[in-house]
Amino acid sequence: MTSGEPDGLSRERTRLAWRRTALGGTAVALLAARLALTGSRGAVAVAVLTLVAVGWLALVATAFRRVRGMRAGRPPVARAVGLAALTVGFAGLGTALVVLA
Amino acid sequence: MPLFAARDPGGSPPDYRFSLANERTFLAWLRTGLALIAGGLAAAQFLPRLPVRDLLALGLLLLGAAVAIRSVVHWARCERAMWRGEPLPPSRFPTLLALAVAAFALLLAAVVGFEAVW
């Protein structure tokens, strides 16, 4: 991190990092949805798909807000704990599906 | 009171670009966890039905969850160190994770090879 670095590059790299994370989360959501649809049925499938959709929306919404927040002024600190919890949630869902299927 | 701290960390806010770098590092770790979870989900549905398949999938999912938890802990500890002007905390976790991923890859290779030969 050099002091001569133009001001916008850090923000741009951070925005890209959020977009890549949202992409990764989307891939996980699709895999989890497929596992839920092929490995379970009925109420279980609906419940799992709902949780996957909620988790995915939360991740994408946070990334979108954070990317927008970079545009002007000093960016606020991100809520890292919520996102880590979301990722753990995806893992938990997958574990439940593996055990149930 | 910054968001990452339950108690006042002392010191003063760092250059925001250092905080952004810490945030990018956190996101990189989170993506690593997501990739492990994706691997576990893929193993669960795409590998042939062998007893070791579920074990492999569960291991990858749990490892992904552990990486996700560790990513936010590390982010908070680094942020606190930057506030206080202290050196960043050292960690053996990257080494341990690399060894674990290598172990899973070898196990996966054995599963695929066994299925091909059997």
Side-chain angles (χ1 to χ4, degrees), chain A residues 1-2 10, chain B residues 14-23 79 82:
Chain A
M1 197 83 56
T2 63
S10 291
Chain B
D15 184 335
Y16 79 91
R17 286 172 298 178
F18 295 141
S19 289
L20 288 185
N22 194 21
E23 182 172 338
E79 200 72 21
M82 289 192 298

Side-chain angles (χ1 to χ4, degrees), chain B residues 41-52:
Chain B
L41 292 171
Q45 51 194 303
F46 297 130
L47 280 183
R49 188 172 278 276
L50 293 173
V52 72

Side-chain angles (χ1 to χ4, degrees), chain A residues 1 5 7 10-11 13-14 17-18 20-21 28 31 34-35 66 77 79-81 84 87-88 91 94-95 98, chain B residues 3 14 16-18 20-21 23-24 26-27 30-31 34 37-38 41 44-46 58 61 65 68-69 72 75:
Chain A
M1 197 83 56
E5 176 187 325
D7 195 48
S10 291
R11 299 166 190 256
R13 285 203 303 274
T14 312
W18 276 106
R20 293 205 305 272
T21 309
V28 168
L31 280 171
R34 189 188 179 282
L35 182 57
R66 195 82 185 107
V77 179
R79 298 188 182 277
V81 179
T87 309
V88 173
T95 306
V98 168
Chain B
L3 280 172
Y16 79 91
R17 286 172 298 178
F18 295 141
L20 288 185
E23 182 172 338
R24 287 196 301 277
F26 159 72
L27 290 175
L30 204 60
R31 285 198 302 280
L34 283 170
I37 291 168
L41 292 171
Q45 51 194 303
F46 297 130
L58 279 173
L61 289 166
I69 293 171
V72 69
W75 171 84

Side-chain angles (χ1 to χ4, degrees), chain A residues 2 7-10 32-33 42 46 52 54-55 57 63 67 74 78-79 82 84 90 94:
Chain A
T2 63
D7 195 48
L9 287 183
S10 291
V46 170
V52 169
V54 167
L57 277 171
V67 164
R74 188 177 189 282
R79 298 188 182 277
F90 272 123

